[in-house]
Amino acid sequence: MTQKPLTLGDWIQSATEQLQRAGVDSARLDAQVLAAHGFGQDRSWVLAHPEAEITSDLDSILARRVNREPLAYIVGSREFYGRRFFVDHDVLVPRQETEFVVERALLWMRDDSLPWSVLDVGTGSGCIGITLALEKPDAQVTLLDKSANALRVASKNADALGARVDFVHSDLFTYLPKSMYRMVVSNPPYVAHSDDLPPEVREFEPADALFAEAQGTAFYRRLAADCYHRTLCDVLIVEIGQGQSDAVESIFGEYGWVLADALADLSGIVRTLTFTPDSAIFK
């Protein structure tokens, strides 16, 4: 008797069950996305063709997700602010909460009385800086990272999305050409080594971009000190971790920064802090 061909609908059901057993919360959605990637189609096509026969090797990519490798690394991209960014294991997976940094930056950048020069510190995939460059084409945006591999990813994204940006390979401001930036933005390492993280994050994302000493606040101290003296910026916007708001505000206050605003998500968790130097006059 001829064996009945495996259909896409059957494969998604089986994949969903395997992912559920592996502890993946979004098991069915992930199965659909993996199937779409394997077929070279989008998810809507997969949903519309459950009868399609499986002709490619979907099980190998399923095994990676069962092992809790992030979905973005498997399919090679993640959407951020309505655009698709290439990602690999050398950069963090862009997250929705990081879009708050972009939102806050664009709000300040409505004041176009002077040209905007923006420095994205620890750019990773480039999602923040490239998005700002595309949303504000007149801005001069520089992407800085200490990882040459991260800058490779950011450069690939800038080319693919048509963004005009500059690149600097430097550990914070060590090799940054002397320059003044009107705005500095950063999604720095802010996770404490003791924090409980899902395996997708702890086992697969780059540790240097995740973890910081002093319960996750060490990089903020470096940024607060160096940025005040080296960039002379008007606005400094940082992403922070849950529960870090008071500690980070205190650190920046020690170095002459004044909290301008704090932006919380829909759950009331403060995600973004904006600082100005105490001497700045900003409407």
Side-chain angles (χ1 to χ4, degrees):
M1 181 181 293
T2 303
Q3 187 176 7
K4 180 183 176 182
L6 180 65
T7 67
L8 186 52
D10 291 337
W11 185 89
I12 288 175
Q13 181 58 39
S14 173
T16 298
E17 293 169 358
Q18 293 181 61
L19 291 170
Q20 287 173 335
R21 289 195 294 270
V24 175
D25 292 333
S26 54
R28 180 165 290 277
L29 174 62
D30 285 16
Q32 293 166 350
V33 172
L34 290 172
H37 178 67
F39 271 82
Q41 301 285 350
D42 59 23
R43 183 167 161 258
S44 61
W45 184 93
V46 167
L47 295 175
H49 295 82
E51 77 290 347
E53 294 183 12
I54 300 297
T55 57
S56 59
D57 180 16
L58 299 183
D59 289 340
S60 61
I61 57 175
L62 173 61
R64 293 170 64 184
R65 189 67 187 107
V66 167
N67 194 41
R68 303 297 292 272
E69 184 176 351
L71 186 63
Y73 291 157
I74 299 172
V75 302
S77 65
R78 171 62 66 89
E79 185 173 299
F80 182 86
Y81 213 79
R83 299 179 178 91
R84 191 150 295 278
F85 282 78
F86 166 75
V87 294
D88 63 18
H89 291 83
D90 290 315
V91 298
L92 295 180
V93 176
R95 289 169 169 78
Q96 188 175 12
E97 53 263 32
T98 303
E99 294 186 358
F100 286 113
V101 177
V102 172
E103 291 285 358
R104 189 52 52 184
L106 291 174
L107 185 64
W108 285 82
M109 292 170 78
R110 290 188 304 180
D111 176 1
D112 57 1
S113 57
L114 293 171
W116 281 100
S117 54
V118 182
L119 178 66
D120 180 8
V121 176
T123 191
S125 66
C127 61
I128 297 175
I130 290 171
T131 299
L132 293 177
L134 293 171
E135 294 292 320
K136 291 286 186 180
D138 293 337
Q140 178 186 346
V141 179
T142 300
L143 310 184
L144 180 150
D145 207 292
K146 72 176 184 178
S147 166
N149 285 332
L151 289 177
R152 170 188 55 79
V153 173
S155 178
K156 182 173 181 177
N157 282 320
D159 289 343
L161 294 168
R164 287 190 309 107
V165 294
D166 298 316
F167 300 92
V168 174
H169 183 204
S170 177
D171 182 6
L172 236 172
F173 302 141
T174 305
Y175 301 109
L176 181 71
K178 205 164 187 180
S179 184
M180 188 172 108
Y181 295 90
R182 194 175 174 197
M183 174 182 288
V184 173
V185 293
S186 183
N187 175 20
Y190 59 70
V191 178
H193 290 280
S194 59
D195 284 356
D196 185 26
L197 299 172
E200 285 89 344
V201 178
R202 183 171 289 278
E203 296 176 17
F204 290 95
E205 298 202 56
D208 285 350
L210 280 172
F211 299 106
E213 301 298 329
Q215 289 300 301
T217 64
F219 193 93
Y220 294 114
R221 186 170 295 280
R222 289 185 64 197
L223 187 63
D226 290 357
C227 199
Y228 192 88
H229 298 292
R230 293 289 300 275
T231 68
L232 302 176
C233 70
D234 292 330
V235 187
L236 194 161
I237 305 173
V238 294
E239 181 174 326
I240 63 170
Q242 184 173 355
Q244 291 182 327
S245 180
D246 290 344
V248 174
E249 180 183 355
S250 177
I251 288 170
F252 276 86
E254 293 177 33
Y255 294 92
W257 296 95
V258 176
L259 182 67
D261 60 57
L263 185 63
D265 63 16
L266 294 177
S267 300
I269 299 170
V270 177
R271 295 292 188 184
T272 301
L273 297 181
T274 303
F275 296 94
T276 59
D278 55 14
S279 59
I281 300 174
F282 212 97
K283 294 181 181 180

